[in-house]
Amino acid sequence: MPFKAEYIWVDGTKPTAKLRSKTKIVEDGAELPIWGFDGSSTNQAPGDKSDCVLRPVFSCPDPIRGGDNVLVMCEVELISGAPHPTNTRRACAEAAEKFADQEAIFGIEQEYTFFKDGRPYGFPVGGGYPAPQGGYYCGVGADEVFGRDVVEKHMDLCLQAGLHLSGINAEVMPGQWEFQIGPVAAPQVADELWVARWLLYRIAEDYGVSATLDPKPVKGDWNGAGAHTNFSTNAMRDNYDAIITACDSLGKDGKVAEHIAGYGAGIEHRLTGMHETAPWSEYSYGVSNRGASVRIPWQVERDGKGYIEDRRPNANCDPYVVTRLLINTCCSALAKA
């Protein structure tokens, strides 16, 4: 019996790309074929040369349709077979292969915010603001937590899809949540994060809410939304000197600006030096310091080995870009150490 394959890809919308998807019916037993789409409708091609190619790179069970149906993450290619200019996965995969001997792995903490009827879910109907931040983070109770039914369903779907979901929690602002993917190597960690994002958007449809990755969904004294990225190599998992080498490498001349430029649009609105962030224009690291650009967990200092948390990536970042930058910067420095 034929099965349904939901082909998912990252489009060319700027400054922040969107997810697109469509369904292909595939004969039972057949391999997932390359497919095509109209790039002129996704900001990826002009109308007179509109054909773009979808190449399957990651698939998992479709937990919404069930059965033998699958979700398929794709790279976008030109008809020549070359990666499309919007295809950031290819460069990520090449970086991971170049430094494969360092066995880099990632855990990405994806924050997001639910909106309903044009306002953050949990904000008062008709305008105004809820009580200030304080009780919402990891909270419980209908007066402090909003959207848990959607979050629980999303968690179940990710697990049924076989994604490396490692946890969820309510975040600091009403209607704001987080899920974590990892630890997984690149580019798979980014493949899984994009699929998890797609599942979040898709299941939220059924509940009449939308999920946004806006890094500063509400202006003023409210936390933004990030994608804190935990990173380690085999050397970092073995000794503390490698932890410091990695942290120092991220602060080298040119690297701070390069990473900030690749960590998501609107980052200056979130990385202000307030709300558990470091200023976007400065670089710092410290043990147990959530006000630093990069945090070294206290257990890592105690154990003398482990991982670091880059707290700068936005919720709307491209995880292919973030993981590539961390691999290139940190692994290059560690290779010379």
Side-chain angles (χ1 to χ4, degrees):
M1 179 178 177
F3 63 92
K4 302 166 189 170
E6 191 71 15
Y7 277 53
I8 303 167
W9 72 97
V10 182
D11 77 359
T13 301
K14 295 181 179 180
T16 301
K18 296 181 178 182
L19 281 171
R20 309 281 183 143
S21 72
K22 61 177 183 171
T23 307
K24 187 172 186 63
I25 306 302
V26 182
E27 290 300 317
D28 184 29
E31 292 187 2
L32 294 168
I34 61 170
W35 202 14
F37 68 95
D38 171 18
S40 69
S41 297
T42 62
N43 302 302
Q44 288 170 298
D48 60 342
K49 297 179 181 178
S50 63
D51 288 328
C52 292
V53 176
L54 294 173
R55 181 173 297 279
V57 291
F58 172 81
S59 66
C60 63
D62 184 339
I64 296 177
R65 288 172 169 156
D68 295 328
N69 303 304
V70 294
L71 302 177
V72 186
M73 194 67 207
C74 300
E75 282 192 17
V76 178
E77 296 180 343
L78 302 170
I79 59 173
S80 66
H84 190 277
T86 61
N87 178 348
T88 55
R89 185 186 189 276
R90 191 71 58 89
C92 174
E94 290 171 353
E97 178 62 27
K98 179 179 178 181
F99 295 101
D101 63 316
Q102 296 195 34
E103 300 174 337
I105 55 174
F106 298 85
I108 303 178
E109 306 170 22
Q110 176 68 72
E111 295 177 348
Y112 59 93
T113 309
F114 286 130
F115 270 69
K116 186 176 178 66
D117 300 327
R119 67 184 188 281
Y121 201 19
F123 276 50
V125 176
Y129 295 92
Q133 295 180 159
Y136 305 113
Y137 173 71
C138 294
V140 63
D143 57 337
E144 293 185 334
V145 174
F146 307 90
R148 191 184 294 277
D149 50 352
V150 193
V151 172
E152 291 283 334
K153 184 63 176 179
H154 177 251
M155 175 168 55
D156 290 343
L157 293 175
C158 288
L159 293 174
Q160 291 166 27
L163 304 182
H164 290 82
L165 184 82
S166 52
I168 63 165
N169 60 268
E171 267 301 332
V172 178
M173 192 180 81
Q176 192 176 75
W177 290 82
E178 174 187 298
F179 65 86
Q180 303 97 34
I181 294 289
V184 185
Q188 184 176 337
V189 67
D191 294 335
E192 293 195 19
L193 186 62
W194 278 117
V195 170
R197 287 173 171 179
W198 185 91
L199 283 169
L200 177 65
Y201 300 149
R202 170 60 187 83
I203 200 60
E205 292 178 12
D206 295 348
Y207 290 85
V209 298
S210 61
T212 176
L213 305 185
D214 189 321
K216 190 68 174 179
V218 179
K219 292 181 172 57
D221 193 21
W222 300 94
N223 275 40
H228 303 156
T229 301
N230 301 286
F231 168 76
S232 71
T233 65
N234 48 18
M236 295 165 68
R237 296 188 291 273
D238 184 62
N239 71 85
Y240 198 73
D241 287 344
I243 296 286
I244 299 303
T245 296
C247 289
D248 285 339
S249 71
L250 292 167
K252 299 293 185 183
D253 289 346
K255 290 301 180 182
V256 176
E258 180 184 9
H259 281 251
I260 289 296
Y263 278 6
I267 199 166
E268 68 279 6
H269 300 302
R270 174 178 151 263
L271 298 185
T272 62
M274 301 176 64
H275 306 112
E276 300 181 303
T277 69
W280 66 270
S281 58
E282 301 175 12
Y283 175 78
S284 60
Y285 67 87
V287 176
S288 196
N289 186 355
R290 282 179 165 78
S293 308
V294 172
R295 178 179 69 95
I296 302 173
W298 68 268
Q299 304 100 313
V300 172
E301 183 186 46
R302 181 196 65 188
D303 297 343
K305 59 185 178 180
Y307 68 96
I308 60 175
E309 177 196 39
D310 192 336
R311 297 179 56 79
R312 296 172 295 172
N314 271 353
N316 63 350
C317 72
D318 179 344
Y320 294 130
V321 174
V322 171
T323 54
R324 172 181 59 81
L325 288 169
L326 283 167
I327 289 172
N328 279 338
T329 297
C330 297
C331 291
S332 293
L334 289 165
K336 298 174 183 177

